Amino acid sequence: MRIAVVGAGYVGLVSAACLAEIGHDVILVDADVNRIADLNRGEVPIHERLLSELLQRHRCQRLTFSSSVSAAVVQSEAVFITVGTPQADGGEPDLSYVESVAAEIASAISEPKLVVEKSTVPVCTCESIRKVLLLHGAELSHVSVASNPEFLREGTAVTDFLYPDRIVMGVDDDFSAAMLYSIYRPLTQGTYYQQEGAIPCPLGQSATIQTIVTNARSAELIKHASNAFLAMKISYINVVANIAETVGADIDQVCAGIGADPRIGPEFLKAGIGYGGSCFPKDVSAFHSVAEQCGIDFSLLAEVTRINTQQRLNFVKKVRNALWTLRGKRIGALGLAFKGGTDDIRESPAIAIIQDLLKEGASVCAYDPAAMLKAREVFPAGSIQYADNEYEAATRRDALLVLTDWRQFGVLDLLKLRAVMKLPIVIDGRNLFNPSQMAAAGFLYYSVGRALQITETMPSLWHGIHFGPPAARMAATGWPDNRRGLHKELVST
Ligand code: NAD
């Protein structure tokens, strides 16, 4: 099929490359002419595993780039809208990019075409798109609008697209349904997976896809409700982690116990510094706005957001408890992206935490395998230092913070790390390390929802080294477990 994808961001780029990969002829459009020029030159504007391989494979063949929506629409049977829907000041999403694309599409429709809303939007947006298309001159018989929400995760976006757990088709007419079935047939019937050179299925993932056909409103609601639920799961486990930390329980063990229940499942039960990124924060807020507009009290979602913000502030407090004052302290930071595997720093808790530390007078040297270029837009030269690797970020530092869950951070050489640091303090917002191993390597290791381990081999001065009020000390020392002698390796302070 001939397909136009409008919006060459994280979703548009991946969708266009994957639609070409499964056999379609795709024109990817963006209003940013520089981005289109970069793509035409073979440059890949975002860090996403397997994306450059796919772009290289299909560029100038099944995949072309354009800055003209109307030219792309004229040549296509289906048009996917993948522009941004950022949060507006009042919490609701700004749908002006979607509206302006719909108006441009209308001017180029002279035969029946399917318009597919893939951006994350509030329920009833398909209807608004339909109205804009008609208002801008498209004929009623030519206009079919469907919702096809995208569930890819940055970092694994390509395989998420090619091996999705479900494809949701929100359709209000037979033409939309038939078109979407045709587009996804290589995946739903599995022919793509037998193709030579197909991207292999990731370990532990299945090539069995559930196709869920709904009306457009239900599909729109599915996406918002899914993201809000996942965000809620993260906030929930972060509060449980704070309790675990205070009473000396271990959040990893607690999560293993909770996640073993198939009604709950182990995914997204990961304590840390809260969620970020371009989706969860804005989608929780947008869904809350939808509920308010319907006159329905969904203050649970406001609480999810509040807990998430508080979790980041708790982490900064933890840094203070470990270092006392922050003015003049030299801090290393591992991670800038909102999660591992991406260069996306939108709403990244790592960025917000570094901003808080800078405000309190600390200096920061950061390292991120992919996000440093984007971070320079927030922290220009001179505001923070950028290191070439993890060890350089830690060198002569009073403390090292782990802010993003890049896998490579969790396998650092601990003895080498200990040797380069001024003080052996690691404060891990992502629970990447094993507390016993960190203690054995000589670190004062603070994490989330797990007690600090002080071993007998550590200098006696370290017993009771924490700053801050008694509650913070209790949490940081693992009280009351060590008082009860439950963990033999812990020495009571
Ligand atoms: P993005 O900001 O990375 O990309 C949006 C692109 O649209 C930009 O390149 C911008 O230049 C382009 N654009 C804006 N107006 C345009 C116009 N009139 N014509 C042509 N191009 C235009 O956004 P994203 O992260 O790809 O997200 C897109 C949508 O998908 C959002 O609604 C988001 O919530 C949703 N989504 C995102 C993810 C994710 O992980 N990023 C996952 C699922 C769904």
Side-chain angles (χ1 to χ4, degrees):
M1 196 175 288
R2 285 172 285 116
I3 297 174
V5 176
V6 184
Y10 285 83
V11 169
L13 270 163
V14 170
S15 303
C18 290
L19 288 168
E21 170 73 1
I22 64 174
H24 302 297
D25 288 320
V26 182
I27 306 172
L28 177 59
V29 185
D30 203 283
D32 180 346
V33 287
N34 294 328
R35 175 159 289 214
I36 293 301
D38 288 349
L39 287 164
N40 273 322
R41 273 196 304 276
E43 288 173 25
V44 185
I46 60 169
H47 176 93
E48 187 59 55
R49 208 174 72 81
L50 297 170
L51 181 62
S52 57
E53 284 90 326
L54 289 193
L55 290 180
Q56 206 172 341
R57 199 179 275 184
H58 301 296
R59 190 167 65 91
C60 302
Q61 294 177 48
R62 287 211 290 265
L63 178 59
T64 55
F65 308 105
S66 167
S67 52
S68 167
V69 173
S70 52
V73 171
V74 167
Q75 295 172 59
S76 304
E77 296 154 84
V79 186
F80 282 71
I81 300 177
T82 56
V83 295
T85 49
Q87 190 172 326
D89 289 344
E92 73 285 0
D94 172 0
L95 298 174
S96 60
Y97 301 98
V98 175
E99 183 182 358
S100 81
V101 170
E104 281 185 80
I105 292 172
S107 65
I109 293 189
S110 55
E111 56 186 347
K113 289 187 198 283
L114 174 66
V115 176
V116 184
E117 176 51 76
K118 209 176 213 351
S119 299
T120 302
V121 291
V123 63
C124 298
T125 299
C126 272
E127 259 128 272
S128 301
I129 293 174
R130 207 172 283 130
K131 280 183 197 152
V132 171
L133 290 171
L134 295 175
L135 212 60
H136 286 79
E139 268 181 45
L140 186 60
S141 60
H142 294 164
V143 171
S144 286
V145 183
S147 165
N148 172 223
E150 183 50 61
F151 299 98
L152 60 76
R153 298 159 297 177
E154 290 178 21
T156 52
V158 168
T159 47
D160 285 348
F161 191 101
L162 294 172
Y163 295 89
D165 40 24
R166 82 277 211 201
I167 295 173
V168 174
M169 302 178 184
V171 290
D172 294 331
D173 56 74
D174 294 342
F175 178 71
S176 302
M179 291 283 280
L180 279 175
Y181 268 117
S182 293
I183 290 168
Y184 285 109
R185 190 164 293 129
L187 300 180
T188 53
Q189 294 196 344
T191 48
Y192 168 69
Y193 309 126
Q194 280 132 35
Q195 200 175 291
E196 202 182 326
I199 300 290
C201 184
L203 271 180
Q205 224 161 303
S206 149
T208 314
I209 301 168
Q210 216 185 328
T211 304
I212 299 167
V213 182
T214 68
N215 60 27
R217 289 182 188 194
S218 300
E220 291 165 333
L221 211 46
I222 285 170
K223 176 63 188 176
H224 261 167
S226 297
N227 273 8
F229 189 87
L230 292 171
M232 182 183 70
K233 221 172 161 187
I234 295 172
S235 281
Y236 180 86
I237 208 61
N238 277 334
V239 176
V240 176
N242 297 341
I243 296 172
E245 202 172 307
T246 306
V247 301
D250 181 315
I251 192 62
D252 291 345
Q253 294 173 5
V254 174
C255 286
I258 302 174
D261 183 333
R263 292 169 303 176
I264 298 173
E267 296 290 329
F268 274 73
L269 289 182
K270 191 113 183 46
I273 49 177
Y275 58 79
S278 67
C279 293
F280 286 0
K282 83 163 168 66
D283 291 347
V284 171
S285 176
F287 198 32
H288 195 198
S289 291
V290 167
E292 273 176 350
Q293 280 163 26
C294 295
I296 291 164
D297 178 6
F298 207 164
S299 47
L300 172 65
L301 296 183
E303 194 56 14
V304 167
T305 301
R306 190 197 64 75
I307 292 167
N308 195 54
T309 308
Q310 186 58 45
Q311 193 65 5
R312 170 167 64 70
L313 300 176
N314 289 347
F315 185 78
V316 175
K317 202 186 286 175
K318 200 170 277 183
V319 179
R320 274 192 227 107
N321 287 339
L323 290 176
W324 193 15
T325 63
L326 294 181
R327 182 160 302 282
K329 291 281 160 58
R330 290 162 51 82
I331 294 174
L334 295 185
L336 293 159
F338 85 93
K339 65 187 252 193
T342 180
D343 59 349
D344 197 345
I345 58 163
R346 290 177 286 183
E347 299 291 322
S348 169
I351 299 286
I353 286 168
I354 292 173
Q355 282 168 332
D356 287 350
L357 299 176
L358 294 178
K359 268 189 221 142
E360 296 200 31
S363 68
V364 174
C365 179
Y367 173 70
D368 188 288
M372 294 204 287
L373 194 64
K374 294 224 162 99
R376 280 176 203 276
E377 290 163 22
V378 183
F379 300 122
S383 56
I384 67 169
Q385 278 173 268
Y386 291 95
D388 286 337
N389 56 53
E390 295 88 342
Y391 301 102
E392 191 184 318
T395 299
R396 290 189 294 282
R397 297 280 141 186
D398 294 306
L400 183 67
L401 315 185
V402 182
L403 301 178
T404 305
D405 55 348
W406 282 97
R407 275 205 198 128
Q408 65 190 69
F409 294 163
V411 294
L412 292 175
D413 179 337
L414 296 182
L415 295 181
K416 187 172 165 189
L417 197 65
R418 170 81 182 79
V420 297
M421 290 185 67
K422 180 176 162 201
L423 298 178
I425 298 175
V426 173
I427 309 161
D428 184 354
R430 301 294 192 163
N431 287 0
L432 293 190
F433 297 100
N434 177 311
S436 307
Q437 283 171 359
M438 291 300 276
F443 285 102
L444 266 173
Y445 174 65
Y446 302 80
S447 52
V448 182
R450 304 182 300 182
L452 178 80
Q453 298 204 7
I454 305 282
T455 67
E456 286 172 32
T457 55
M458 287 178 172
S460 55
L461 185 67
W462 287 15
H463 300 249
I465 197 162
H466 319 286
F467 304 102
R473 286 206 296 274
M474 265 165 42
T477 53
W479 186 92
D481 275 24
N482 48 2
R483 281 171 47 136
R484 291 199 203 114
L486 290 178
H487 293 305
K488 291 267 175 344
E489 77 272 25
L490 295 181
V491 174
S492 169
T493 58

